[in-house]
Amino acid sequence: HMGAVFLSFAAVTAVSSYLIASWHRPLIDDYLAASDRALGLDWLASYKWVTAHPLIKKGLFVAYGSIIPQIVFLLLFLNFRGRCGRSWEMLWLFMVSCTICLVFSGLWPAVGAFGYYHVEPDSNYVHVFMSLYNGTLKVIGDSRVEGIIQFPSFHIALGILLTYVVRGMPILFLVFLELNTLLFISTPAIGGHHFADLWGGAAL
């Protein structure tokens, strides 16, 4: 039942994120990049460093892609352990934070660091976002739906929330804390997020 709720909500919000991106509100990437520079953070330099170290890049890629497996694991683990209340808490945290994230992405859209700095030209999310933003993408479902929200970073928000969900479970908490710390580190270079997106995700 919880799996059905998660999949249904995810389907609706994925389509909603596409519709919201087509609002064509002013992009805020200039402000996000300026915020990074004000903090002394050089996104392009950090990206180049990661890409120059293939093994590190692969490890960060695994960490960045672990969000959905984490959710699936917790749905199974918590329910089979009889922690249904904690599992519902996770789903509600997911749904509420996702809804807020959608609203913010509509009001303050961003193409992300990959698009802003013109790296990763084959990135699917940049192509899809710009097609929606420019009005050239008219049909949803002809290709795989992409995660296109950049600010705030939903990956960071979920990394924090999923770690919080396993509080009071010492071994699992330590594993999730370490994994999601790696996810935090991976988000700029692997996810194409400005550093400012991370602080937005943490605030969310």
Side-chain angles (χ1 to χ4, degrees):
H1 175 64
M2 293 182 191
V5 171
F6 171 75
L7 291 173
S8 300
F9 181 82
V12 171
T13 51
V15 173
S16 298
S17 70
Y18 273 41
L19 297 176
I20 287 172
S22 68
W23 288 358
H24 201 80
R25 287 183 54 80
L27 298 174
I28 64 167
D29 291 274
D30 284 338
Y31 299 101
L32 298 174
S35 174
D36 289 351
R37 289 192 295 271
L39 293 173
L41 298 170
D42 188 335
W43 185 90
L44 202 54
S46 67
Y47 169 79
K48 289 178 179 178
W49 186 89
V50 169
T51 54
H53 297 80
L55 287 178
I56 292 176
K57 184 177 181 180
K58 287 180 181 178
L60 294 178
F61 183 84
V62 171
Y64 187 77
S66 70
I67 280 292
I68 296 300
Q70 285 186 57
I71 293 173
V72 173
F73 169 79
L74 286 178
L75 279 173
L76 294 170
F77 177 82
L78 293 173
N79 279 284
F80 279 111
R81 290 293 299 270
R83 305 292 295 270
C84 295
R86 187 68 66 89
S87 191
W88 276 118
E89 179 186 38
M90 178 183 70
L91 281 179
W92 276 110
L93 288 170
F94 172 84
M95 292 189 288
V96 171
S97 59
C98 185
T99 301
I100 297 172
C101 192
L102 277 173
V103 172
F104 272 75
S105 72
L107 295 174
W108 298 289
V111 69
F114 284 171
Y116 184 76
Y117 292 103
H118 304 291
V119 300
E120 302 281 349
D122 297 326
S123 174
N124 286 335
Y125 94 77
V126 174
H127 172 72
V128 170
F129 177 84
M130 293 309 302
S131 297
L132 289 162
Y133 191 77
N134 296 327
T136 56
L137 195 156
K138 301 292 186 182
V139 179
I140 300 174
D142 278 356
S143 59
R144 187 184 70 179
V145 174
E146 297 287 337
I148 58 172
I149 295 177
Q150 291 298 301
F151 179 83
S153 169
F154 195 45
H155 261 74
I156 295 301
L158 280 182
I160 294 171
L161 293 176
L162 295 178
T163 305
Y164 170 73
V165 164
V166 295
R167 66 194 182 279
M169 308 173 193
I171 295 175
L172 207 55
F173 180 82
L174 184 60
V175 170
F176 271 66
L177 180 62
E178 292 176 349
L179 177 59
N180 288 314
T181 297
L182 288 174
L183 182 144
F184 188 96
I185 295 169
S186 73
T187 299
I190 305 300
H193 284 273
H194 299 282
F195 287 103
D197 299 341
L198 278 62
W199 323 136
L204 171 63

